[in-house]
Amino acid sequence: MRLIVSAAGAGLLCMLLSGCAWLYQAGQSQTPENGSDLSQADMELTSFEFTNQDGDTVTNEDLQGNYVLADMIFTSCPTVCNTMTPNMLNLQGEMEKAGIDDIRIVSFTVDPENDDPEALKQYGENYGVDFSNWDFLTGYSDEEIQTLAEKSFKSVVDKDTGDENIVHATTFFLIDPEGNVVRSYDGLENDTDPILEDLKRLKNNE
């Protein structure tokens, strides 16, 4: 069974649990509420120029000016992605109901060799994703996504697991309009209320 590794707070804290498919989230809160403040962690989305499910180029600059929810998935993921993507889809629907319609969602594949735009398009369609504000990104090397994960989110991407799994974060990261990573959430948690409340609060303070 896979080991999933990530970071806590501003540092890279690797916590390995043998035989357990859990990720200790970046900036994990000591309270049971979902959501951790990363505003003082000096984390920001690095520069990139990738390709989405429609074959269009998407850059970090295209995301500026909006709050962005980002995560990492891959289409053949046998475990956590099957929970994360439905949870993000549920969140997309709840944001629309709440009138929060200017949030971008970005899912970076951690398997760019196999996840081309067509595969990502089919993956999103299988879940019934609304692509109007959700980009599934590919068009980079394994090394590039490993670097982006480490530098932007202080998390690990590792394909050397000895099986079909890929180690990656199960976190939803909230990025502010300036590109700073300001909060993180457990992507395996289906309660959208903490994220919606944070978005309402942050946008009211703009």
Side-chain angles (χ1 to χ4, degrees):
M1 190 174 288
R2 82 195 295 186
L3 295 177
I4 304 179
V5 184
S6 92
L12 185 61
L13 179 61
C14 294
M15 303 181 70
L16 305 178
L17 296 181
S18 179
C20 183
W22 292 99
L23 175 87
Y24 280 77
Q25 307 294 339
Q28 183 177 4
S29 173
Q30 298 303 310
T31 69
E33 278 190 18
N34 186 17
S36 299
D37 184 8
L38 299 178
S39 59
Q40 303 302 312
D42 194 27
M43 297 166 63
E44 64 179 352
L45 187 62
T46 60
S47 298
F48 67 81
E49 184 174 325
F50 297 154
T51 304
N52 73 1
Q53 70 281 348
D54 294 318
D56 298 328
T57 299
V58 177
T59 73
N60 61 297
E61 293 182 351
D62 293 328
L63 303 177
Q64 290 178 0
N66 295 96
Y67 279 96
V68 178
L69 283 163
D71 69 353
M72 282 170 272
I73 54 90
F74 63 109
T75 63
S76 61
C77 177
T79 53
V80 292
C81 305
N82 298 323
T83 299
M84 293 171 62
T85 300
N87 285 347
M88 188 71 87
L89 178 63
N90 182 40
L91 180 59
Q92 183 186 43
E94 291 300 317
M95 287 192 297
E96 182 178 1
K97 290 179 184 177
I100 306 173
D101 56 4
D102 56 349
I103 306 297
R104 299 283 296 270
I105 302 173
V106 175
S107 292
F108 298 93
T109 179
V110 295
D111 189 19
E113 181 179 356
N114 294 304
D115 287 346
D116 58 15
E118 291 77 14
L120 291 172
K121 182 83 167 186
Q122 186 63 59
Y123 178 79
E125 288 178 345
N126 288 344
Y127 280 105
V129 164
D130 178 358
F131 293 111
S132 64
N133 68 331
W134 190 340
D135 290 298
F136 290 82
L137 296 183
T138 187
Y140 41 79
S141 66
D142 290 337
E143 291 75 18
E144 286 175 301
I145 190 58
Q146 289 166 359
T147 298
L148 183 141
E150 180 180 353
K151 290 188 174 181
S152 298
F153 305 124
K154 293 184 167 58
S155 66
V156 171
V157 172
D158 185 5
K159 298 184 77 168
D160 296 327
T161 60
D163 56 26
E164 297 302 315
N165 286 310
I166 301 173
V167 171
H168 65 92
T170 60
T171 308
F172 293 165
F173 295 97
L174 180 61
I175 303 162
D176 73 12
E178 288 73 45
N180 302 302
V181 183
V182 293
R183 291 194 68 79
S184 66
Y185 307 92
D186 183 357
L188 301 176
E189 172 59 59
N190 63 8
D191 181 10
T192 61
D193 287 346
I195 305 177
L196 293 173
E197 290 303 315
D198 282 344
L199 289 173
K200 291 174 184 177
R201 175 179 54 81
L202 290 167
K203 291 181 68 61
N204 286 338
N205 290 334
E206 287 182 344

